[in-house]
Amino acid sequence: MSRLRKMPLPTVADLSFIWSDQSHRKLAGKLAAYVDRDYYLSTNPDVMSAGLDPTLHYVKYGWREGRDPSPSFSTQAYLAEHPELLHEQTNPLLHFLENAPAAEAEDTENDAELALVATELDRAFYTRTYGLSAEDDPVRHFCRDGWRAGYDPSPAFSTTHYLTTNVDIRNSGVNPFWHYLAAGREEGRSPKHEGGWRYEVLTRQQPLERMKEDWLRREAPPRLMSVDQIVKRVDQACDQDQVLISIGHDDYRSSAGGVQLCIALEAKAAAGRGVDYLSFYPWQSLPTLAAEEADPIIAIVANSDLLGHARMSKLVEAAKRLSLKAPHMVFHHLMGQHPERLVEFAHALGVTETFLWLHDNFTLCPNYALQRNNVAFCDAPAAGSTACMICVYGRERQAHQARVEQLFQTLDVHLLAPSKVALDYWKSRSALGAKSTKVHPHLRLRRRTAARGADPAERCRIAFVGLPAPHKGWPLFQELQRRFATDERYEFWHFSSEPTAAEMRHLPLFSSAEQPDAMAQALRDHQIDLVVHWASCRETFSFSTHEALAGGAYVVTNEGSGNVAAVVGRQKSGRVLPDEAAFWAWVQADGLLTLSEEARGRRAGQAVSLSYSRFTLDHLPLEAEIS
């Protein structure tokens, strides 16, 4: 085998491809410098005609199909020498690079380049965004492989944009970030598109079918139960006088999120009231409904214990033989589920009336946040309209709505909304016929007088709570932190199960059924003054907003944030601003400092606690003493 060499700069089309599968994305970054993209496309015309990224294709499929990443590496020959790699599902090129003698490696590092890049590369951002290990040097990784894979060295610099708009730099093959620091900045070259994160998302937008592909699990399916096994295990686990069957989109026992917390709290309430809790979620998570022709694998959890997995068709067969007493059904989320088979399952149990929660807007569109092309709130235009069809979700939405409508037509659905804002919006945008509708908040705030003295006003402490998602306002919070990173009047925090992607204090936690007040307590303990929740969608509820208020913080949001703005206005605990221009003007006028002082003053004489509901259990025909 000839000596491997690093390959020339990829094309702009290659760089603009985004990979949402983190494991493949990370591996593609490692191998990008060793895949000859021109060679791969010329020898694999099917990959070229499909418009696929050659490096990602090799990582995900090509090596398994015996394709070569470059003229200097034979995949089939290497696998013949190491047959165990196929069994272990280990990429042969990666194995070669990790086990090649030191002489095989090509030393192309430039000390001057490393030194300059090190002055401004955001190590925390780069390490966490691209999944580097603690042993990896982010500066060396970026200079060696990262920029060739389209990685960004910091939130303030877009590798793709710089190479796209500077053809001379692209053709020269030099490190674009190094060039920007060495000369480009003084030459007036732009480090990022003025459209910001929205432009980045749009340039890397994938078709919905490719998004679904990236969600697919890369592992063998679990062992499946037969109909007899389903009947035996479910009947043994559920022996109470009532059972609540909960339909969700993933494992509420291990996943963080608002819907998962609702299900976990509901399951806990059921256990305390003698009601069996039977939960179904898809083994294969999807960003849409399961395909009509599919027979999805469903995980079955009874009273928080996993009973096993089964095809949905087998569940329907088993339902006819189950001995469940007084079964009730609630739809918490339909993502990844097969609505037609769920209806069959309900009818097989003799269930005709069900509950459905409006946790988000998934009944209106597969994009539950109603984000057109994942960048802007679309306000749910008519399905099939031009305004809808310009979105990557548009075509899917037509079939999606028809399938959800069929569920509403074949079952009597009692709709439960966590806020009046959510219910009013749903009624204004949906033609679905619910048997009944009711507003039922997930929790309520309880205020009481509690003099405890003012907190020391050393700095204005500002936090972001929850997953760092664009539609929750993470990009704006990042920009706020960037602008005031060196201003000693401010301190920035991120409270989330996921690590932060910027230089700020991070506290890894999330609320759970066992500790539902964990987030509020953490905000209180760290004396957070303000929480920024700049949602670009109409929130139906918001646990983080209520947790912020319970933690003694005020919330900064915008007029389009749905129930967030409604709660902040009703509680008089924060600021609701019209748009981003108004936000930055307010910030420049020291609005953050003024509002933080107001928050400190209020929490000095008042305590706030959270009172959670029992969710669907509050609507079941239970015993009088627990109704």
Side-chain angles (χ1 to χ4, degrees), residues 393-409:
Y393 295 91
R395 189 173 301 279
E396 178 91 9
R397 186 177 176 219
Q398 295 181 81
H400 175 94
Q401 285 195 340
R403 298 177 70 189
V404 174
E405 182 179 5
Q406 183 66 20
L407 183 145
F408 273 71
Q409 290 176 347

PDB file of all heavy atoms in Angstrom, residues 393-409:
ATOM      1  N   TYR A 393     -40.337  20.932   4.991  1.00  0.00           N
ATOM      2  CA  TYR A 393     -41.376  20.101   5.605  1.00  0.00           C
ATOM      3  C   TYR A 393     -42.699  20.167   4.837  1.00  0.00           C
ATOM      4  O   TYR A 393     -43.644  19.462   5.172  1.00  0.00           O
ATOM      5  CB  TYR A 393     -41.633  20.547   7.047  1.00  0.00           C
ATOM      6  CG  TYR A 393     -40.460  20.354   7.976  1.00  0.00           C
ATOM      7  CD1 TYR A 393     -39.517  21.356   8.162  1.00  0.00           C
ATOM      8  CD2 TYR A 393     -40.293  19.164   8.671  1.00  0.00           C
ATOM      9  CE1 TYR A 393     -38.436  21.179   9.010  1.00  0.00           C
ATOM     10  CE2 TYR A 393     -39.213  18.976   9.525  1.00  0.00           C
ATOM     11  CZ  TYR A 393     -38.292  19.988   9.691  1.00  0.00           C
ATOM     12  OH  TYR A 393     -37.225  19.800  10.530  1.00  0.00           O
ATOM     13  N   GLY A 394     -42.774  21.027   3.812  1.00  0.00           N
ATOM     14  CA  GLY A 394     -44.045  21.295   3.146  1.00  0.00           C
ATOM     15  C   GLY A 394     -44.720  20.080   2.552  1.00  0.00           C
ATOM     16  O   GLY A 394     -45.909  19.842   2.778  1.00  0.00           O
ATOM     17  N   ARG A 395     -43.986  19.294   1.787  1.00  0.00           N
ATOM     18  CA  ARG A 395     -44.595  18.133   1.126  1.00  0.00           C
ATOM     19  C   ARG A 395     -45.032  17.101   2.166  1.00  0.00           C
ATOM     20  O   ARG A 395     -46.108  16.512   2.073  1.00  0.00           O
ATOM     21  CB  ARG A 395     -43.612  17.522   0.139  1.00  0.00           C
ATOM     22  CG  ARG A 395     -44.222  16.446  -0.750  1.00  0.00           C
ATOM     23  CD  ARG A 395     -43.231  16.016  -1.820  1.00  0.00           C
ATOM     24  NE  ARG A 395     -42.829  17.138  -2.662  1.00  0.00           N
ATOM     25  CZ  ARG A 395     -43.555  17.596  -3.673  1.00  0.00           C
ATOM     26  NH1 ARG A 395     -44.741  17.069  -3.947  1.00  0.00           N
ATOM     27  NH2 ARG A 395     -43.117  18.614  -4.393  1.00  0.00           N
ATOM     28  N   GLU A 396     -44.184  16.864   3.149  1.00  0.00           N
ATOM     29  CA  GLU A 396     -44.523  15.903   4.205  1.00  0.00           C
ATOM     30  C   GLU A 396     -45.749  16.344   4.989  1.00  0.00           C
ATOM     31  O   GLU A 396     -46.552  15.528   5.437  1.00  0.00           O
ATOM     32  CB  GLU A 396     -43.327  15.741   5.158  1.00  0.00           C
ATOM     33  CG  GLU A 396     -43.574  14.793   6.320  1.00  0.00           C
ATOM     34  CD  GLU A 396     -43.177  13.358   6.015  1.00  0.00           C
ATOM     35  OE1 GLU A 396     -42.555  13.124   4.963  1.00  0.00           O
ATOM     36  OE2 GLU A 396     -43.504  12.483   6.842  1.00  0.00           O
ATOM     37  N   ARG A 397     -45.897  17.660   5.136  1.00  0.00           N
ATOM     38  CA  ARG A 397     -46.975  18.186   5.976  1.00  0.00           C
ATOM     39  C   ARG A 397     -48.359  17.818   5.439  1.00  0.00           C
ATOM     40  O   ARG A 397     -49.289  17.589   6.219  1.00  0.00           O
ATOM     41  CB  ARG A 397     -46.844  19.710   6.090  1.00  0.00           C
ATOM     42  CG  ARG A 397     -47.845  20.329   7.056  1.00  0.00           C
ATOM     43  CD  ARG A 397     -47.643  21.821   7.188  1.00  0.00           C
ATOM     44  NE  ARG A 397     -48.656  22.407   8.038  1.00  0.00           N
ATOM     45  CZ  ARG A 397     -49.239  23.569   7.821  1.00  0.00           C
ATOM     46  NH1 ARG A 397     -48.898  24.282   6.748  1.00  0.00           N
ATOM     47  NH2 ARG A 397     -50.152  24.030   8.634  1.00  0.00           N
ATOM     48  N   GLN A 398     -48.524  17.749   4.131  1.00  0.00           N
ATOM     49  CA  GLN A 398     -49.834  17.433   3.573  1.00  0.00           C
ATOM     50  C   GLN A 398     -50.286  16.036   3.994  1.00  0.00           C
ATOM     51  O   GLN A 398     -51.413  15.842   4.475  1.00  0.00           O
ATOM     52  CB  GLN A 398     -49.787  17.543   2.050  1.00  0.00           C
ATOM     53  CG  GLN A 398     -49.526  18.961   1.562  1.00  0.00           C
ATOM     54  CD  GLN A 398     -49.510  19.057   0.048  1.00  0.00           C
ATOM     55  OE1 GLN A 398     -50.555  19.125  -0.595  1.00  0.00           O
ATOM     56  NE2 GLN A 398     -48.329  19.060  -0.541  1.00  0.00           N
ATOM     57  N   ALA A 399     -49.402  15.056   3.846  1.00  0.00           N
ATOM     58  CA  ALA A 399     -49.734  13.697   4.268  1.00  0.00           C
ATOM     59  C   ALA A 399     -49.842  13.615   5.789  1.00  0.00           C
ATOM     60  O   ALA A 399     -50.702  12.903   6.321  1.00  0.00           O
ATOM     61  CB  ALA A 399     -48.676  12.726   3.758  1.00  0.00           C
ATOM     62  N   HIS A 400     -48.993  14.356   6.473  1.00  0.00           N
ATOM     63  CA  HIS A 400     -48.983  14.384   7.940  1.00  0.00           C
ATOM     64  C   HIS A 400     -50.342  14.832   8.478  1.00  0.00           C
ATOM     65  O   HIS A 400     -50.931  14.183   9.356  1.00  0.00           O
ATOM     66  CB  HIS A 400     -47.876  15.337   8.409  1.00  0.00           C
ATOM     67  CG  HIS A 400     -47.814  15.553   9.881  1.00  0.00           C
ATOM     68  ND1 HIS A 400     -46.987  14.816  10.699  1.00  0.00           N
ATOM     69  CD2 HIS A 400     -48.469  16.429  10.695  1.00  0.00           C
ATOM     70  CE1 HIS A 400     -47.135  15.227  11.946  1.00  0.00           C
ATOM     71  NE2 HIS A 400     -48.026  16.214  11.974  1.00  0.00           N
ATOM     72  N   GLN A 401     -50.847  15.930   7.948  1.00  0.00           N
ATOM     73  CA  GLN A 401     -52.135  16.447   8.433  1.00  0.00           C
ATOM     74  C   GLN A 401     -53.277  15.473   8.140  1.00  0.00           C
ATOM     75  O   GLN A 401     -54.169  15.291   8.968  1.00  0.00           O
ATOM     76  CB  GLN A 401     -52.427  17.804   7.789  1.00  0.00           C
ATOM     77  CG  GLN A 401     -51.608  18.944   8.365  1.00  0.00           C
ATOM     78  CD  GLN A 401     -52.171  20.305   7.988  1.00  0.00           C
ATOM     79  OE1 GLN A 401     -52.924  20.441   7.022  1.00  0.00           O
ATOM     80  NE2 GLN A 401     -51.808  21.317   8.753  1.00  0.00           N
ATOM     81  N   ALA A 402     -53.234  14.838   6.980  1.00  0.00           N
ATOM     82  CA  ALA A 402     -54.295  13.884   6.640  1.00  0.00           C
ATOM     83  C   ALA A 402     -54.303  12.708   7.603  1.00  0.00           C
ATOM     84  O   ALA A 402     -55.377  12.226   8.016  1.00  0.00           O
ATOM     85  CB  ALA A 402     -54.100  13.397   5.208  1.00  0.00           C
ATOM     86  N   ARG A 403     -53.128  12.246   8.002  1.00  0.00           N
ATOM     87  CA  ARG A 403     -53.048  11.100   8.910  1.00  0.00           C
ATOM     88  C   ARG A 403     -53.487  11.464  10.322  1.00  0.00           C
ATOM     89  O   ARG A 403     -54.148  10.680  11.001  1.00  0.00           O
ATOM     90  CB  ARG A 403     -51.626  10.540   8.903  1.00  0.00           C
ATOM     91  CG  ARG A 403     -51.194  10.014   7.546  1.00  0.00           C
ATOM     92  CD  ARG A 403     -49.759   9.532   7.569  1.00  0.00           C
ATOM     93  NE  ARG A 403     -49.623   8.308   8.353  1.00  0.00           N
ATOM     94  CZ  ARG A 403     -48.456   7.765   8.684  1.00  0.00           C
ATOM     95  NH1 ARG A 403     -47.312   8.367   8.311  1.00  0.00           N
ATOM     96  NH2 ARG A 403     -48.399   6.656   9.380  1.00  0.00           N
ATOM     97  N   VAL A 404     -53.103  12.668  10.775  1.00  0.00           N
ATOM     98  CA  VAL A 404     -53.548  13.118  12.098  1.00  0.00           C
ATOM     99  C   VAL A 404     -55.060  13.330  12.102  1.00  0.00           C
ATOM    100  O   VAL A 404     -55.752  12.995  13.075  1.00  0.00           O
ATOM    101  CB  VAL A 404     -52.803  14.407  12.507  1.00  0.00           C
ATOM    102  CG1 VAL A 404     -53.361  14.955  13.815  1.00  0.00           C
ATOM    103  CG2 VAL A 404     -51.304  14.144  12.648  1.00  0.00           C
ATOM    104  N   GLU A 405     -55.583  13.880  11.013  1.00  0.00           N
ATOM    105  CA  GLU A 405     -57.026  14.102  10.913  1.00  0.00           C
ATOM    106  C   GLU A 405     -57.785  12.770  10.996  1.00  0.00           C
ATOM    107  O   GLU A 405     -58.839  12.678  11.635  1.00  0.00           O
ATOM    108  CB  GLU A 405     -57.363  14.810   9.607  1.00  0.00           C
ATOM    109  CG  GLU A 405     -58.844  15.123   9.441  1.00  0.00           C
ATOM    110  CD  GLU A 405     -59.150  15.859   8.147  1.00  0.00           C
ATOM    111  OE1 GLU A 405     -58.220  16.040   7.337  1.00  0.00           O
ATOM    112  OE2 GLU A 405     -60.313  16.250   7.957  1.00  0.00           O
ATOM    113  N   GLN A 406     -57.248  11.743  10.379  1.00  0.00           N
ATOM    114  CA  GLN A 406     -57.882  10.427  10.422  1.00  0.00           C
ATOM    115  C   GLN A 406     -57.952   9.907  11.852  1.00  0.00           C
ATOM    116  O   GLN A 406     -58.943   9.286  12.261  1.00  0.00           O
ATOM    117  CB  GLN A 406     -57.097   9.448   9.543  1.00  0.00           C
ATOM    118  CG  GLN A 406     -57.698   8.055   9.452  1.00  0.00           C
ATOM    119  CD  GLN A 406     -59.042   8.036   8.745  1.00  0.00           C
ATOM    120  OE1 GLN A 406     -59.372   8.957   7.998  1.00  0.00           O
ATOM    121  NE2 GLN A 406     -59.831   6.995   8.993  1.00  0.00           N
ATOM    122  N   LEU A 407     -56.905  10.170  12.637  1.00  0.00           N
ATOM    123  CA  LEU A 407     -56.910   9.755  14.045  1.00  0.00           C
ATOM    124  C   LEU A 407     -58.033  10.449  14.805  1.00  0.00           C
ATOM    125  O   LEU A 407     -58.761   9.829  15.597  1.00  0.00           O
ATOM    126  CB  LEU A 407     -55.551  10.058  14.677  1.00  0.00           C
ATOM    127  CG  LEU A 407     -55.343   9.622  16.134  1.00  0.00           C
ATOM    128  CD1 LEU A 407     -53.898   9.170  16.349  1.00  0.00           C
ATOM    129  CD2 LEU A 407     -55.676  10.737  17.116  1.00  0.00           C
ATOM    130  N   PHE A 408     -58.204  11.756  14.555  1.00  0.00           N
ATOM    131  CA  PHE A 408     -59.256  12.511  15.224  1.00  0.00           C
ATOM    132  C   PHE A 408     -60.652  12.048  14.779  1.00  0.00           C
ATOM    133  O   PHE A 408     -61.606  12.131  15.545  1.00  0.00           O
ATOM    134  CB  PHE A 408     -59.100  14.005  14.955  1.00  0.00           C
ATOM    135  CG  PHE A 408     -58.177  14.713  15.923  1.00  0.00           C
ATOM    136  CD1 PHE A 408     -56.806  14.504  15.882  1.00  0.00           C
ATOM    137  CD2 PHE A 408     -58.677  15.582  16.871  1.00  0.00           C
ATOM    138  CE1 PHE A 408     -55.961  15.149  16.764  1.00  0.00           C
ATOM    139  CE2 PHE A 408     -57.847  16.242  17.759  1.00  0.00           C
ATOM    140  CZ  PHE A 408     -56.482  16.019  17.711  1.00  0.00           C
ATOM    141  N   GLN A 409     -60.751  11.575  13.554  1.00  0.00           N
ATOM    142  CA  GLN A 409     -62.048  11.147  13.042  1.00  0.00           C
ATOM    143  C   GLN A 409     -62.450   9.759  13.544  1.00  0.00           C
ATOM    144  O   GLN A 409     -63.646   9.453  13.638  1.00  0.00           O
ATOM    145  CB  GLN A 409     -62.032  11.152  11.511  1.00  0.00           C
ATOM    146  CG  GLN A 409     -61.992  12.546  10.901  1.00  0.00           C
ATOM    147  CD  GLN A 409     -61.878  12.513   9.383  1.00  0.00           C
ATOM    148  OE1 GLN A 409     -61.595  11.465   8.789  1.00  0.00           O
ATOM    149  NE2 GLN A 409     -62.092  13.664   8.747  1.00  0.00           N
TER     150      GLN A 409
END
